[in-house]
Amino acid sequence: MDLGIKDKVAFVTASSKGLGKAVALQLSAEEAKVVICSRNDDDLIKAKADIEYKTNTELKAVRLDVTKNEQVTQAVKDIIEEFGTIDILVCNAGGPPAGMIEDFTIDDYRNALELNLISTISLCYEVLPYMKKKHWGRIINITSVSVKQPIDNLILSNTSRTGVLGFSKSLSAQVAKYGITVNAICPGYTRTQRVANLAKSFQKSGKGTISGFYKKIEDNIPMERLGTPEEFAKAVAFLASEGAGYITGTALQVDGGFVKGLF
Ligand SMILES: NC(=O)c1ccc[n+]([C@@H]2O[C@H](COP(=O)([O-])OP(=O)(O)OC[C@H]3O[C@@H](n4cnc5c(N)ncnc54)[C@H](OP(=O)(O)O)[C@@H]3O)[C@@H](O)[C@H]2O)c1
């Protein structure tokens, strides 16, 4: 299936590893002009080289902390100067630390909101004027299945991501008339460094072994396995496609059936 995004300019944030990197690779494979970013230069350079090698394309890589408003503004300015527009925006960031209410202060919630919610809002504010001008745009906000079914021991993530869902839904209605779609995508457990880190902290807290951590997760997934970043990236690429132009305001799970509710 031709996704119709050849030469579209795609900005995928937090993309030196894991889900963001897989999305950048998939969009590059579809011949979009892709810009990746993260905070660590070495990982960024490695990701750029790896994706360019696998897709035989050229990528732009920007060192950027998405929680720093002025850096977001500058990065978007640089991309516009080089490519003239941004057609596809995939908002992603790291995940806040795992833990229960007793583990965190109010400032930890502020940091989680900055990381997941405010970063998404500031990226959208910067990019929307260019999408409106072209009367075409795809915004895909990476959240988590926790927006539909909160996950024990992830109180910060459960809290910060639901705001992203509210923002996405509101924004989708307000920009639809400009040919811009806005969707949230909700990964379930997917094999990335983030999940490997959660497994380590599970073991460290004395709750069980690493293999016990994975078994506990798999027992709750009808597919009986974690997802792969590539499976997730294919769903994002579809939402970014020309053909997905009438899909907006949704929150799509990519979770092997993990969420038990109807919606
Ligand atoms: N994997 C899952 O099963 C799963 C499930 C549900 C939700 N999620 C969520 O999906 C998102 C991506 O997860 P992942 O598994 O791909 O994580 P990951 O493997 O830890 O990768 C995170 C990526 O984000 C970058 N990053 C982190 N903070 C950043 C910041 N402030 N500014 C710019 N880049 C930043 C990291 O690079 P630097 O550290 O160098 O900046 C890295 O490239 C996270 O929010 C995660 O919580 C993941």
Side-chain angles (χ1 to χ4, degrees):
M1 180 178 174
D2 177 12
L3 296 186
I5 55 173
K6 183 174 187 304
D7 292 332
K8 295 276 189 209
V9 180
F11 184 22
V12 184
T13 63
S15 41
S16 65
K17 290 183 202 156
L19 302 180
K21 183 183 172 198
V23 170
L25 193 147
Q26 185 67 42
L27 296 179
S28 289
E30 297 294 335
E31 298 180 77
K33 295 174 183 161
V34 177
V35 182
I36 60 170
C37 79
S38 73
R39 295 163 303 175
N40 180 299
D41 265 337
D42 289 348
D43 290 339
L44 199 54
I45 289 164
K46 271 190 221 149
K48 173 175 154 64
D50 185 44
I51 297 173
E52 286 180 339
Y53 174 74
K54 286 180 176 150
T55 59
N56 200 21
T57 50
E58 225 178 277
L59 249 74
K60 180 178 173 72
V62 186
R63 180 150 53 79
L64 164 66
D65 181 340
V66 293
T67 65
K68 306 273 186 281
N69 246 321
E70 63 291 351
Q71 291 185 21
V72 170
T73 305
Q74 187 59 48
V76 170
K77 196 166 166 255
D78 291 347
I79 297 168
I80 298 298
E81 257 173 41
E82 187 166 341
F83 298 102
T85 195
I86 293 174
D87 303 295
I88 298 165
L89 172 65
V90 181
C91 297
N92 185 35
M100 310 287 274
I101 188 156
E102 300 80 12
D103 301 317
F104 300 117
T105 65
I106 301 296
D107 277 341
D108 294 319
Y109 291 85
R110 285 203 179 91
N111 291 338
L113 289 168
E114 288 285 347
L115 181 63
N116 296 127
L117 175 59
I118 306 298
S119 67
T120 301
I121 296 172
S122 78
L123 282 158
C124 289
Y125 265 83
E126 291 295 338
V127 170
L128 274 167
Y130 304 99
M131 292 183 170
K132 281 184 179 171
K133 210 192 283 177
K134 278 189 73 180
H135 232 268
W136 199 96
R138 299 283 183 267
I139 296 176
I140 298 135
N141 295 325
I142 297 182
T143 62
S144 164
V145 280
S146 67
V147 300
K148 299 203 173 187
Q149 185 172 301
I151 296 172
D152 288 348
N153 202 39
L154 287 183
I155 194 167
L156 293 180
S157 173
N158 295 340
T159 305
S160 64
R161 294 181 197 284
T162 41
V164 178
L165 205 57
F167 175 71
S168 298
K169 186 69 180 169
S170 304
L171 184 63
S172 69
Q174 293 174 25
V175 299
K177 60 181 177 234
Y178 301 106
I180 301 167
T181 67
V182 186
N183 291 289
I185 189 151
C186 314
Y189 285 100
T190 315
R191 285 201 179 267
T192 67
Q193 194 56 49
R194 157 102 174 146
V195 175
N197 293 343
L198 291 176
K200 276 186 211 148
S201 74
F202 177 81
Q203 188 176 40
K204 218 168 143 195
S205 66
K207 288 184 184 139
T209 60
I210 288 190
S211 60
F213 171 87
Y214 283 109
K215 166 112 184 42
K216 208 170 154 206
I217 291 173
E218 283 162 359
D219 285 349
N220 279 303
I221 302 173
M223 288 280 179
E224 298 179 341
R225 65 174 177 85
L226 278 75
T228 67
E230 295 73 26
E231 287 171 315
F232 176 78
K234 283 190 173 21
V236 175
F238 175 68
L239 288 175
S241 72
E242 188 66 58
Y246 201 59
I247 302 174
T248 197
T250 67
L252 174 69
Q253 299 124 245
V254 184
D255 68 346
F258 173 84
V259 170
K260 302 293 182 285
L262 289 175
F263 305 107

